[in-house]
Amino acid sequence: MNYTETAQWLKDRLPSVPQIGIILGTGLSGMADNLDDKFIIPYSEIPGFMKSTAPSHSGNLVYGLLRGVPVLFLQGRFHYYEGYRMEQVVFPVRVMAKMGIKTLIVTNASGSLKKHLEPGAIVRIDDHINFMGTNPLIGVNDDTLGERFPSMNKLYDPFFATMVNDIAAIENITIQEGVYLAVTGPSLETKAECAFMANMGADLVGMSTVPEVITARHCGMKVLAFSIVTNYSNLFHDLAHSQDEIRHHAGISGANLKRLLEVFIQRIS
Ligand code: HPA
């Protein structure tokens, strides 16, 4: 089944067309917990979807009303390191675009390349470096989705960024900004690689998001993306935090990010 058919399959089953799509990264599945009129479809039941194999990714599509706004959560994503082809990794984004969703919010967990971005930090991604050695748009271009050579200028929507900064100030939530660099994984980075990445201008390193964001731009969607720092990268091994400490930070940050996004969604709807 292709993404157009899957989009139609979902539209036939959901109560309304969602306004916003949200991809939930590692440890953030709980964001979809308190929605009204919730409608959960396991990926295994959706024609064309793959099974999610990554740990702590639950593999559900969750529709619901968030403060009255119809939204579509993807609880769990497909990573390149799991062995999927790029077109499979970005399939859900194309499905959302074909459903008529115009705004995509992406979240992930990352390692920090900068000392000031401590484990637990909420970082608004303001640009990225594609270091995966491939690109989700390689292959025949589907002109019904977008153009052959899409611009990556102001990829992370500047209007959304300003709005999110305002909300964070009002809600008393500390957020920072940074450049996210994507690697394929699954091996973690060496110390030399981390030093190289930090020197190239990256602040965070992770194994996702970039393919989805490139695809969303190709489809003409507006993008907002957040990363929660779960660990210092190999660059700072002397600063390693305990797993308990990291879980503690990630829990608080997850709750704050959830609150921030709820206000954001309400405001843009
Ligand atoms: N490196 C790559 N991906 C990650 C990391 C990391 O340190 N932490 C969370 N995702």
Side-chain angles (χ1 to χ4, degrees), residues 24-30 52-59 75-77 79 81 109:
L24 297 175
T26 307
L28 292 168
S29 285
S52 175
T53 70
S56 76
H57 282 244
S58 44
Q75 271 181 334
R77 57 156 55 89
H79 300 83
Y81 66 72

Side-chain angles (χ1 to χ4, degrees), residues 109-111 188-189 205-207 230-231:
S110 64
L188 291 166
E189 306 71 38
V205 55
M207 304 172 188
T230 49
N231 57 282

Side-chain angles (χ1 to χ4, degrees), residues 108-205:
N108 66 39
S110 64
S112 170
L113 298 164
K114 298 287 160 73
K115 218 175 244 181
H116 69 280
L117 300 174
E118 298 179 355
I122 301 175
V123 184
R124 183 174 55 70
I125 298 175
D126 65 2
D127 208 345
H128 76 221
I129 297 172
N130 179 11
F131 208 60
M132 293 182 114
T134 182
N135 189 294
L137 307 184
I138 290 174
V140 177
N141 187 56
D142 180 347
D143 294 334
T144 69
L145 288 176
E147 58 183 305
R148 172 76 291 188
F149 302 109
S151 161
M152 293 291 130
N153 186 36
K154 296 185 179 164
L155 183 51
Y156 297 85
D157 193 87
F159 177 72
F160 286 174
T162 310
M163 201 174 203
V164 155
N165 290 350
D166 288 349
I167 296 169
I170 293 165
E171 297 283 323
N172 216 2
I173 297 170
T174 304
I175 62 169
Q176 304 185 71
E177 292 160 23
V179 174
Y180 176 90
L181 181 147
V183 292
T184 62
S187 58
L188 291 166
E189 306 71 38
T190 64
K191 195 164 184 166
E193 285 165 345
C194 290
F196 171 69
M197 291 168 188
N199 282 331
M200 275 205 301
D203 301 308
L204 302 170
V205 55

